[in-house]
Amino acid sequence: MQQSRSEVTEREGLYELNAGSDVLDSARYNHDIAPTKVHQRTWNKWHITALWVGMSICVPTYTLGGVLTAYFGLSVGEALLAILLANVVVLIPLTLNAFAGTKYGIPFPVLLRSSFGILGSNVPCLIRAVVACGWFGIQTMFGGLAIHLLLGSIFESWKTLGGTGEVIGFMIFWALNLWIVLRGAESIKWLETLSAPLLVLVGAGLLVWALPNVSMSELLAQPANRPEGASVTGYFLAGLTAMVGFWATLSLNIPDFSRYAKSQKDQILGQIFGLPLTMFLFAALGVVMTAASEGLVGQTVSDPVSLIGHIQSPGWVALAMALIIVATLSTNTAANIVSPTNDFQNIAPKLIDRTKAVILTGLIGLGLMGHELLKKLGLLVSELSLESVYSNWLLGYSSLLGPIAGIMVVDYFLIKKQQLDLAGLYRDDVYPAWNWIGFAAFAVPVALTLLSLGSSAFSWFYDYGWFTGSFLGGLIYFGLCSLRSAQPVVAKAPV
């Protein structure tokens, strides 16, 4: 029987919203961003492990070691250590921000309504969404190249298409990503669970292929690409911050996935099992493969798609490209489409459903890659490389996302003490439309980051942007909430 008012009921620690017409008719509610029901919580720790394996094994991860050695002045050993430590560090906000998603079944933008306001949540949501759309375009570029090489290994005439073939591959891969996400969360879970063991086997096969052509001792003994006598500390911390920034996006919108977890134990163990070691091993594989590429194909190649494309056997190329397509697909659908899909719905839930939000995500990602596509078609000449674009992003956007992560953790655990008015998050009369405290805590570290760009003495604030931003944002938010005389009304869920 429909109830006259919204209630929250607890079942084995998982919350389900039984809403009356006041919530169902609210402009802040639609079916896709509603709390997941208990029967929808089907992801155990192995599904979440597979999610992280599938997202971590991708072309950008493969190139991280090269990015750190070329752009951040680290040696190979220092680069691999930075990657491992960064992924241990990023587990902290990942597991903490996942708690609310698992407990209440709510996605990232709905959780943000608690700290930034019902309408104010759209600002950090759109920041996250634009970054995801950019990454979606970058990953689609790699996936499109793999499709182009796959078709070229099967049809000899396809190779003559050159850049046009890459653009066609891009559009095929683009459409395939959107189709999978439109099929829903179970489709993504199925893809990640299927792809994870295949991707581990691919990594092992590449390692067996490369090891006879590289000396690990010589590789680790290579000097760092930084001024002689320079202290390693500053370079290492900047590289560490950039690597934390790699998953700074998911540390915010992890509730988009944890809302499907069976329990807090499942989401915590799944992330611990799936993330740090996978990232470390696949980044290490990238370093080894790049070093071995000279002996394998006669030239240094820094990405696996191009490296495998140099193999002379069409059969092996076709198989390898098919697996790389699966790898990139598993990363792209989960990491770069799910979040903006929910974020765009948050703007106007009654007007933008999941289908419209997925298409909007795809169009923005397509637009952001327009520069690269025009280069492929020979209509634009540019020296800007795709690798330099995303390596520069790692520091830049981590400075924006760090404060949001700190604010979210402090709001949920210290201010709200893990108790939210679930129905109130979908209405306009419980939480403020705009929470000025959240915006003040966000604006201060962002402003300091912008100022630090013009000051050599203060440049460390930008270089360590995720750490400085998350700490300062959380501290300011806690301080202002403590000083505010009237706390927001928060109804505790019945036990």
Side-chain angles (χ1 to χ4, degrees):
M1 187 172 81
Q2 189 181 57
Q3 308 197 2
S4 60
R5 61 188 179 88
S6 299
E7 295 180 349
V8 179
T9 59
E10 182 176 3
R11 297 182 184 177
E12 299 176 356
L14 302 175
Y15 286 77
E16 183 169 1
L17 179 66
N18 296 321
S21 60
D22 55 338
V23 171
L24 298 179
D25 296 336
S26 170
R28 314 302 164 204
Y29 175 94
N30 75 18
H31 174 73
D32 295 316
I33 62 171
T36 52
K37 303 297 189 288
V38 171
H39 74 270
Q40 295 174 299
R41 320 263 179 110
T42 61
W43 294 40
N44 61 33
K45 58 180 177 292
W46 301 117
H47 293 123
I48 296 172
T49 298
L51 172 73
W52 277 110
V53 171
M55 289 195 296
S56 298
I57 298 180
C58 60
V59 176
T61 300
Y62 181 100
T63 63
L64 286 181
V67 168
L68 287 177
T69 55
Y71 292 92
F72 290 89
L74 299 183
S75 68
V76 170
E78 292 163 354
L80 295 179
L81 179 60
I83 291 167
L84 179 61
L85 288 180
N87 285 281
V88 172
V89 169
V90 85
L91 272 178
I92 299 171
L94 275 168
T95 53
L96 292 178
N97 279 330
F99 264 75
T102 300
K103 182 176 183 179
Y104 290 101
I106 53 177
F108 165 64
V110 174
L111 177 59
L112 272 182
R113 295 173 181 179
S114 172
S115 51
F116 284 86
I118 300 297
L119 296 178
S121 62
N122 286 304
V123 175
C125 274
L126 289 177
I127 292 173
R128 170 66 183 99
V130 170
V131 171
C133 289
W135 272 112
F136 167 59
I138 290 172
Q139 292 274 19
T140 302
M141 190 66 69
F142 287 124
L145 175 59
I147 287 179
H148 168 64
L149 294 174
L150 170 64
L151 294 175
S153 68
I154 299 173
F155 307 105
E156 189 66 27
S157 59
W158 188 272
K159 296 178 181 178
T160 62
L161 294 176
T164 302
E166 291 185 41
V167 173
I168 296 172
F170 178 97
M171 296 308 302
I172 294 172
F173 192 75
W174 179 86
L176 186 58
N177 278 268
L178 302 190
W179 177 75
I180 288 174
V181 177
L182 285 172
R183 292 176 61 85
E186 285 299 304
S187 178
I188 294 174
K189 184 182 81 171
W190 175 86
L191 174 64
E192 301 296 342
T193 304
L194 171 68
S195 64
L198 290 176
L199 299 180
V200 172
L201 288 175
V202 170
L206 288 173
L207 189 61
V208 170
W209 180 42
L211 279 179
N213 292 275
V214 65
S215 168
M216 292 301 297
S217 58
E218 291 180 6
L219 183 61
L220 293 173
Q222 290 179 1
N225 181 29
R226 57 176 178 264
E228 187 175 352
S231 172
V232 68
T233 303
Y235 290 91
F236 184 83
L237 290 177
L240 180 69
T241 303
M243 292 304 98
V244 170
F246 191 84
W247 288 122
T249 49
L250 265 292
S251 71
L252 300 184
N253 75 284
I254 190 62
D256 290 334
F257 299 101
S258 67
R259 64 196 292 232
Y260 298 103
K262 290 183 175 181
S263 68
Q264 299 292 1
K265 181 179 179 180
D266 283 308
Q267 69 92 356
I268 293 171
L269 291 179
Q271 297 198 81
I272 291 174
F273 294 161
L275 176 60
L277 195 57
T278 305
M279 284 291 292
F280 172 78
L281 291 177
F282 201 67
L285 174 65
V287 171
V288 172
M289 292 297 297
T290 301
S293 59
E294 179 70 31
L296 292 170
V297 298
Q299 60 180 290
T300 300
V301 183
S302 61
D303 79 83
V305 181
S306 299
L307 177 62
I308 295 171
H310 283 81
I311 300 175
Q312 297 303 311
S313 170
W316 282 112
V317 171
L319 177 61
M321 288 304 157
L323 292 172
I324 285 178
I325 290 168
V326 171
T328 310
L329 194 61
S330 65
T331 300
N332 219 14
T333 52
N336 302 320
I337 305 181
V338 171
S339 176
T341 294
N342 288 333
D343 296 338
F344 291 138
Q345 288 184 83
N346 192 61
I347 299 172
K350 294 299 186 187
L351 298 177
I352 305 175
D353 59 13
R354 185 179 67 190
T355 299
K356 293 177 182 177
V358 169
I359 293 172
L360 181 59
T361 298
L363 291 175
I364 294 175
L366 180 62
L368 291 174
M369 284 295 104
H371 174 272
E372 287 294 318
L373 294 175
L374 290 174
K375 283 171 58 180
K376 300 293 184 185
L377 292 171
L379 300 176
L380 181 68
V381 178
S382 174
E383 297 299 322
L384 186 65
S385 71
L386 196 59
E387 184 177 272
S388 67
V389 169
Y390 76 73
S391 65
N392 289 330
W393 275 17
L394 292 174
L395 276 178
Y397 72 64
S398 68
S399 301
L400 285 177
L401 302 185
I404 301 173
I407 290 167
M408 289 175 66
V409 170
V410 169
D411 178 72
Y412 183 68
F413 285 95
L414 300 183
I415 304 302
K416 305 297 169 48
K417 302 188 184 303
Q418 302 185 62
Q419 300 295 330
L420 300 174
D421 185 329
L422 184 54
L425 291 172
Y426 293 90
R427 291 161 44 182
D428 291 320
D429 57 351
V430 176
Y431 294 91
W434 298 82
N435 183 10
W436 68 268
I437 290 180
F439 282 96
F442 174 70
V444 171
V446 170
L448 289 175
T449 297
L450 294 175
L451 290 174
S452 71
L453 291 174
S455 170
S456 58
F458 203 47
S459 61
W460 59 269
F461 196 92
Y462 172 78
D463 291 340
Y464 314 142
W466 188 88
F467 293 100
T468 54
S470 58
F471 177 78
L472 187 58
L475 183 64
I476 293 173
Y477 188 84
F478 181 78
L480 291 176
C481 285
S482 299
L483 290 173
R484 185 171 54 184
S485 56
Q487 295 293 328
V489 178
V490 177
K492 290 187 176 182
V495 178

